[in-house]
Amino acid sequence: MADNNESWAVAELMGHVTLAGRITKPGEYGGLWQIDIPEGEMFRTEFFGTQAVYRIRIVSEAIARAYARPGHE
């Protein structure tokens, strides 16, 4: 991942949860991943543990924003 915290991803978590947005690797928050989910011009931040991760796909900002739209699934 890029060091500038501008990596965008689709994260699939156990329990059939999919999150998409700007992702930050574990470290600063006790080993939790941080994902900033776009909601219009604002972002909603969520954290999740490494053990919850099923798959993380690094994607473009446009793809992450499309996944983050309400009703995508």
Side-chain angles (χ1 to χ4, degrees):
M1 276 188 284
D3 290 331
N4 63 4
N5 290 334
E6 283 298 314
S7 293
W8 291 78
V10 176
E12 296 177 42
L13 309 179
M14 299 298 173
H16 304 284
V17 173
T18 301
L19 303 174
R22 271 190 324 225
I23 195 163
T24 304
K25 61 186 173 183
E28 186 175 336
Y29 298 103
L32 296 175
W33 291 82
Q34 175 182 338
I35 192 160
D36 299 318
I37 302 163
E39 293 183 341
E41 295 297 316
M42 305 291 287
F43 287 88
R44 172 175 50 95
T45 300
E46 292 198 22
F47 298 92
F48 55 92
T50 299
Q51 293 178 341
V53 175
Y54 173 71
R55 175 170 60 178
I56 294 178
R57 292 178 282 149
I58 303 300
V59 297
S60 68
E61 179 179 350
I63 291 172
R65 284 183 179 276
Y67 268 91
R69 280 195 321 258
H72 172 267
E73 300 184 36

